[in-house]
Amino acid sequence: MTARFRVASLLVGAALAACGGGGGGDVITQPNIPTTPVSPDTIPLRTLAERRGLHLGAAADQRPGYSGMDMTRFRGVLSREFSALTPENDMKHERLQPSRGVFRYENADSLVTFAVANNMRVRGHTLVWHRQIAGWLTSGSWTAAETRTLLQDHVTNVVTHFRGKLLAWDVVNEALNDDGSMRPGFWYDRLGREYIELAFRHARAADPDVLLFYNDYNIEGIGPKSDSAYVMIRDLQTRGVPINGIGLQGHFQVGGVPSSLAANITRFAALGLKVHITELDIRMPTPATAAQLQQQADNYRSVVETCLSFPACDLVTVWGVSDHESWVPSTFAGWGAALLLDAQYAKKPAFTALYNLLK
Ligand code: G3I
């Protein structure tokens, strides 16, 4: 048994979840037993992962915006196979503060209630980002001083609301361009780099225990963007800014997992950071071929295997439960099939590869 996290209590919870224990939430009425289990004859993936000291998570919303959702099946598979949950959209600025000073927590609270009932950890996503910011904020005309206050108000209100309930927050998301320069956007354009430090400091002031992460894509391997993230975080640490981890999103194309993933995790872990793979999916041109699905399985296995080899890396989250709920096809025309289950919730070779790796 590893000391990657407190496994004993989690195993008890996982066993309860697998048996349908754990009670129901106040809004979500779905019990823990899936009506259409992915694999009733097998051990849940989350149980195998937890035995290895790893949380396996999935992204989900309270009311996912994907058409034709079978919510009973969706939530059943989510709680059976995964021990962590990241709200895909429900904790973003536009959802939580749709009008100035008006915070709407209903959907996010329901997700947290569901997670607690099913002994799942929650990664908060995301406090400060250049996208999905409420229109009242982006369309307003604000001085730098007002922008600082708006940032503090949002971070403080949201982190305080969830204090003690979350494992981690993606405090700042996607602050960098691919060449490593600072990405323009609402917060950067008004405050410069200072917004990053402010966000972390306000988050820590509102919750002394939650893990605080910087999260980005195309920083999984060594390159100009991850070099820049490394320098930025080292600088934050030097100045006493509270930061606990780095989130490597992991939106890959099949065959595109960087060979320097392990070397990159090594250097971030050496800074004393936790490393989470926060949004893993591996897309391919559709319709998928058997060869590509097998290559995808190999890619998933190598990412999880690499994470497992580092004590600092104790969580891998996939960005959706099944190919039916993936953001990929609507963003990359002609691409999809990026997750562990197909659109009918059948296990793909990638699911089986992780099962075999973890067992
Ligand atoms: O919920 C509304 C619905 O009411 C409305 O009718 C509909 C009309 O377009 O939009 C719905 O919102 C959509 C939302 O997903 C929920 O489905 C937004 O348009 C759509 O833009 C949004 O896309 C999300 C995307 O972030 C936007 O930035 C994806 O679901 C989500 O998977 C994706 O997640 C990001 C991470 O947060 C950060 N890293 C990259 C990752 C992939 O882009």
Side-chain angles (χ1 to χ4, degrees):
M1 193 66 66
T2 74
R4 297 157 71 86
F5 52 70
R6 270 174 267 116
V7 177
S9 65
L10 296 176
L11 286 177
V12 172
L16 284 172
C19 298
D26 55 358
V27 177
I28 294 172
T29 54
Q30 162 63 24
N32 300 332
I33 304 172
T35 52
T36 316
V38 177
S39 42
D41 52 331
T42 56
I43 302 168
L45 213 47
R46 62 177 280 175
T47 307
L48 298 175
E50 285 167 345
R51 285 178 186 164
R52 302 287 301 272
L54 181 76
H55 279 305
L56 193 62
D61 279 331
Q62 168 66 10
R63 294 182 182 79
Y66 302 98
S67 61
M69 291 288 294
D70 176 345
M71 291 306 294
T72 300
R73 180 171 66 172
F74 175 75
R75 291 182 181 137
V77 174
L78 177 63
S79 60
R80 182 181 197 272
E81 304 295 342
F82 298 99
S83 65
L85 186 159
T86 302
E88 186 173 355
N89 291 287
D90 281 338
M91 288 188 182
K92 292 174 179 173
H93 186 281
E94 66 180 6
R95 297 269 173 108
L96 292 186
Q97 196 182 172
S99 309
R100 185 173 186 184
V102 177
F103 289 83
R104 302 296 303 266
Y105 288 114
E106 298 88 339
N107 287 334
D109 282 346
S110 294
L111 282 176
V112 173
T113 299
F114 173 80
V116 169
N118 290 286
N119 197 29
M120 302 166 80
R121 301 297 178 269
V122 179
R123 295 194 84 263
H125 175 81
T126 174
L127 294 170
V128 176
W129 189 23
H130 69 281
R131 298 189 65 182
Q132 290 179 279
I133 303 172
W136 66 265
L137 184 55
T138 52
S139 62
S141 168
W142 315 101
T143 65
E146 288 167 335
T147 306
R148 272 187 214 100
T149 302
L150 290 162
L151 186 143
Q152 178 171 9
D153 287 350
H154 186 77
V155 171
T156 302
N157 197 306
V158 171
V159 177
T160 301
H161 180 84
F162 293 107
R163 180 167 48 208
K165 295 181 176 164
L166 306 190
L167 172 69
W169 268 110
D170 289 332
V171 177
V172 174
N173 196 42
E174 301 174 7
L176 300 170
N177 291 313
D178 279 352
D179 66 1
S181 59
M182 295 300 297
R183 181 195 285 279
F186 178 82
W187 303 108
Y188 181 75
D189 295 350
R190 287 160 185 77
L191 300 177
R193 309 177 65 100
E194 182 196 7
Y195 85 90
I196 296 173
E197 171 170 352
L198 291 174
F200 278 96
R201 290 194 190 280
H202 294 319
R204 178 54 74 231
D207 186 336
D209 297 320
V210 69
L211 298 171
L212 305 179
F213 274 66
Y214 175 72
N215 189 52
D216 212 331
Y217 62 89
N218 287 351
I219 59 165
E220 298 81 5
I222 290 181
K225 191 171 183 179
S226 64
D227 288 351
S228 177
Y230 180 84
V231 169
M232 177 180 80
I233 291 173
R234 211 179 41 186
D235 174 60
L236 291 172
Q237 290 178 321
T238 303
R239 288 182 297 105
V241 178
I243 178 167
N244 305 108
I246 180 137
L248 311 179
Q249 292 187 6
H251 294 293
F252 297 125
Q253 294 185 12
V254 69
V257 177
S259 56
S260 54
L261 176 63
N264 198 33
I265 292 177
T266 299
R267 66 173 173 168
F268 282 111
L271 290 179
L273 298 174
K274 277 191 166 292
V275 180
H276 289 173
I277 311 293
T278 51
E279 305 184 15
L280 181 60
D281 55 20
I282 303 177
R283 61 185 181 269
M284 63 185 69
T286 51
T289 66
Q292 285 171 325
L293 289 169
Q294 187 51 53
Q295 189 180 16
Q296 180 189 54
D298 295 343
N299 292 166
Y300 266 104
R301 184 176 51 230
S302 84
V303 172
V304 174
E305 201 166 23
T306 301
C307 178
L308 279 172
S309 70
F310 290 91
C313 187
D314 63 2
L315 180 144
V316 176
T317 287
V318 291
W319 206 239
V321 171
S322 86
D323 288 340
H324 178 256
E325 296 95 35
S326 169
W327 69 292
V328 169
S330 62
T331 305
F332 302 100
W335 290 73
L339 293 167
L340 300 175
L341 304 173
D342 73 15
Q344 285 74 45
Y345 286 70
K347 288 185 287 187
K348 293 163 63 180
F351 185 102
T352 307
L354 293 194
Y355 189 90
N356 290 334
L357 168 71
L358 294 167
K359 87 174 192 236

